Every structure is written in structure tokens, then in C-alpha cells.
């Protein structure tokens, strides 16, 4: 590990152990810390990283579901990635993240599934065009004062619609945000960073109500719509993100997100269910 290594790559550093195939060990990163644990996008990226580094992986990811059962505490953790079924074109994985409890027994913090696939050249088209947007350089960069949430500083975010409420006055607003985003320190886009950026949008209930209530993602599913060549075309450029809530009901709501390249290529879509407390 060198001092010039990108913070995201440091956070994703895991080591394959000798215990069993698909067993990895790692350490949490203070650079991507959230309020009570790691940024959920980093956890999702670690899940994907364990599959992509597995010696038996087939193809590239098309779907990722991460269930946050408990907050990961600062320190060491274990990941087990298991290929449960391999077909001609798709491969199905289960992934678990655990940490040693006070007695030394493993505590489950995260469960996940991943589907990878060997894509074939076929017809393709998008029915979700990129919305009109100002050029990213014309949009002011979002600035947040000291918050104790380190991961926000790792991204350059330029919202031009639906930013964080200026006043928490409980007025009713729409729940849609449109934003340009990328790594604060330039880093070529890959599947792991795309997975993380799919979870970058703050809880829609905050915008919908202009009320700051405790909230956290319970489960997120991300679908990947590109291959390695399309990711390489994006490079270190901006992504256009759009997120919106759908239904708020009795302590839980879901929100969708879309990520496009500057050229208008739909890279990923996600949907998550979020807990909020009254």
C-alpha cells in the first residue's frame, strides 16, 4: 500500500485468506465513515469487490443486493463470497460480512447477493434518457461544514435541483434531486465505485418533509447496465444522478436512483428501502 493510493482503493483493500475459498479479511476505513458505521456505498462496494476478486468469478456484475443487518464497527471484518450456482451465462453469489463479537463468535452485519454474467453482443437501447442538465462546471459545488461524516468529503457533488434543505421548517417539498457527482480525488470509474455512488443520495424523507429525522438504508439493489468498455469511456468524468422517493409508509420508504455518464449513457439504476424514525 502506498501513500499515493486512492482513498477508495484503500477502503476496498481485502485479502484472500487461507481458511477457505472466497474468504476475505479487511479493515474499515475512517475516510468513508458515516454517522454510526461505514458509508453504505462502501459496504456495497466491498461486497462486490469480494466477488470480483474471487478466483472463480464469471463475467461482470449485473445485479447487487445488499442488506444492512447491523452497523459495521470500526476495525476488522470478514467477508465470505460463495458461488451458489453457475450457468452458461450467469453466476449467482451469496456474500456475508461478519465481525467478531465480545465472545469471539462472528456477528452478522451484512448479507448480500450478486449476479454476474458473461454478456453477449446484442441489440440494445435505453428507454430512460438522461434529463436535461446544466454543464457540471456551471453548477456550484456543494459545501458542508464540519459534520463528523467523513465520506461526504470523498466526493465532489454539484446539485442543481433538490439539494439539502436550507431550512428544516417541515414544509412539504418534492423528493427529487438532480446532481452532478464524481470522486473528489480523480479516479477512473469501475463497478465498485459505481455501486458506491448508487447509494450517495441522502434520505428522500429529509427533502420531502424538510425535517431531519433519523434514517438509514435497510436494503439496496443496484443494476449495472454497462460493461468495462463503457466504464473506461467515462474515466474520471462526472455522473449525472437523479434520485426520488416513491412511497412513505409507517417508518419505511423506498427511493430510486439513476446514474448517467456525461454522454447520456445510463450506467446504473438502484432502488432501496429506508427506515425512518419519528
Amino acid at each position: 500500500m502506498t501513500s499515493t493510493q486512492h482513498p477508495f482503493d484503500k477502503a476496498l483493500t481485502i485479502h484472500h485468506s487461507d481458511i477457505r475459498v472466497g474468504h476475505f479479511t479487511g479493515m474499515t476505513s475512517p475516510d468513508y465513515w458515516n454517522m454510526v458505521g461505514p458509508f453504505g456505498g462502501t459496504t456495497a462496494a466491498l461486497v462486490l469487490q469480494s466477488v470480483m476478486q474471487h478466483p472463480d468469478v464469471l463475467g461482470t456484475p449485473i445485479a447487487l443486493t445488499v442488506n444492512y443487518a447491523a452497523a459495521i464497527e470500526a476495525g476488522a471484518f470478514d467477508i465470505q463470497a460463495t458461488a451458489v450456482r453457475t450457468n452458461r451465462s450467469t453466476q449467482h453469489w451469496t456474500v456475508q460480512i461478519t465481525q467478531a463479537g465480545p465472545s469471539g463468535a462472528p456477528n452478522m452485519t451484512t448479507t448480500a447477493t450478486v449476479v454476474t454474467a458473461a454478456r453477449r453482443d446484442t441489440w440494445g437501447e435505453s428507454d430512460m434518457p438522461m434529463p436535461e442538465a446544466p454543464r457540471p462546471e456551471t453548477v456550484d459545488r456543494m459545501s458542508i461544514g464540519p459534520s463528523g461524516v467523513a465520506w461526504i468529503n470523498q466526493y465532489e457533488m454539484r446539485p442543481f435541483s433538490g439539494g439539502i434543505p436550507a431550512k428544516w421548517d417541515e414544509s412539504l417539498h418534492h423528493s427529487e434531486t438532480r446532481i452532478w457527482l464524481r470522486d473528489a480525488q480523480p479516479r477512473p470509474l469501475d463497478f465498485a465505485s459505481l455501486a458506491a455512488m448508487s447509494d450517495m443520495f441522502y434520505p428522500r424523507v429529509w427533502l420531502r418533509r424538510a425535517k431531519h429525522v433519523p434514517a438509514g438504508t435497510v436494503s439496496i439493489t443496484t443494476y449495472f447496465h454497462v460493461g468495462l468498455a463503457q466504464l473506461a469511456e467515462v474515466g474520471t468524468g462526472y455522473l449525472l444522478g437523479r434520485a426520488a422517493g416513491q412511497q412513505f409508509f409507517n417508518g419505511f420508504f423506498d427511493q430510486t436512483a439513476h446514474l448517467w455518464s456525461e454522454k447520456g449513457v445510463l450506467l446504473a439504476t438502484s432502488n432501496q428501502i429506508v427506515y425512518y424514525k419519528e
Side-chain angles (χ1 to χ4, degrees):
M1 185 179 299
T2 67
S3 59
T4 59
Q5 189 178 28
H6 193 281
F8 190 70
D9 294 309
K10 291 181 182 179
L12 293 192
T13 298
I14 54 176
H15 305 279
H16 196 275
S17 74
D18 296 327
I19 297 177
R20 68 184 72 88
V21 175
H23 179 259
F24 298 86
T25 59
M27 294 285 293
T28 57
S29 169
D31 294 330
Y32 288 87
W33 202 251
N34 204 346
M35 289 177 285
V36 295
F39 164 47
T42 311
T43 302
L46 280 165
V47 166
L48 198 58
Q49 186 84 330
S50 70
V51 170
M52 299 309 293
Q53 290 189 9
H54 196 287
D56 299 330
V57 66
L58 168 72
T60 55
I62 60 172
L64 164 67
T65 296
V66 181
N67 306 306
Y68 301 94
I72 299 177
E73 297 181 356
F77 56 82
D78 295 81
I79 306 180
Q80 179 63 49
T82 305
V84 295
R85 175 83 183 196
T86 300
N87 301 319
R88 291 178 59 186
S89 298
T90 61
Q91 193 171 44
H92 300 258
W93 297 82
T94 61
V95 181
Q96 298 178 335
I97 301 180
T98 58
Q99 285 187 304
S103 66
N107 285 335
M108 186 70 64
T109 67
T110 312
T111 65
T113 59
V114 179
V115 181
T116 59
R119 290 183 179 268
R120 314 298 181 194
D121 288 335
T122 66
W123 171 89
E125 191 54 77
S126 177
D127 282 346
M128 185 62 68
M130 185 175 76
E132 292 186 5
R135 292 296 307 157
E137 60 271 12
T138 68
V139 180
D140 290 337
R141 182 173 178 176
M142 186 174 72
S143 177
I144 297 179
S147 63
V149 180
W151 74 267
I152 292 177
N153 298 320
Q154 301 300 333
Y155 293 99
E156 178 183 338
M157 294 179 272
R158 297 175 181 267
F160 55 91
S161 174
I164 293 177
K167 295 181 179 179
W168 301 98
D169 56 6
E170 299 190 35
S171 58
L172 298 180
H173 298 276
H174 62 80
S175 63
E176 182 188 74
T177 290
R178 296 185 182 187
I179 184 172
W180 289 108
L181 54 93
R182 64 179 178 180
D183 287 293
Q185 297 183 38
R187 181 184 183 278
L189 188 69
D190 58 16
F191 284 109
S193 58
L194 187 56
M197 291 182 190
S198 296
D199 192 33
M200 280 184 56
F201 304 93
Y202 67 87
R204 299 294 88 195
V205 68
W206 292 359
L207 180 59
R208 181 65 177 82
R209 301 178 65 193
K211 183 178 181 180
H212 197 284
V213 298
T217 301
V218 177
S219 179
I220 182 172
T221 295
T222 301
Y223 299 111
F224 304 95
H225 307 301
V226 289
L228 294 173
Q230 290 76 25
L231 292 177
E233 289 179 359
V234 176
T236 60
Y238 289 95
L239 306 187
L240 176 64
R242 175 192 175 273
Q246 297 188 118
Q247 179 70 32
F248 304 83
F249 176 69
N250 286 2
F252 296 89
F253 67 91
D254 66 333
Q255 64 185 53
T256 62
H258 301 78
L259 291 171
W260 292 267
S261 70
E262 289 186 67
K263 293 184 177 179
V265 177
L266 184 60
L267 306 173
T269 54
S270 71
N271 201 78
Q272 62 179 280
I273 190 79
V274 184
Y275 162 80
Y276 64 97
K277 183 178 180 180
E278 288 292 324

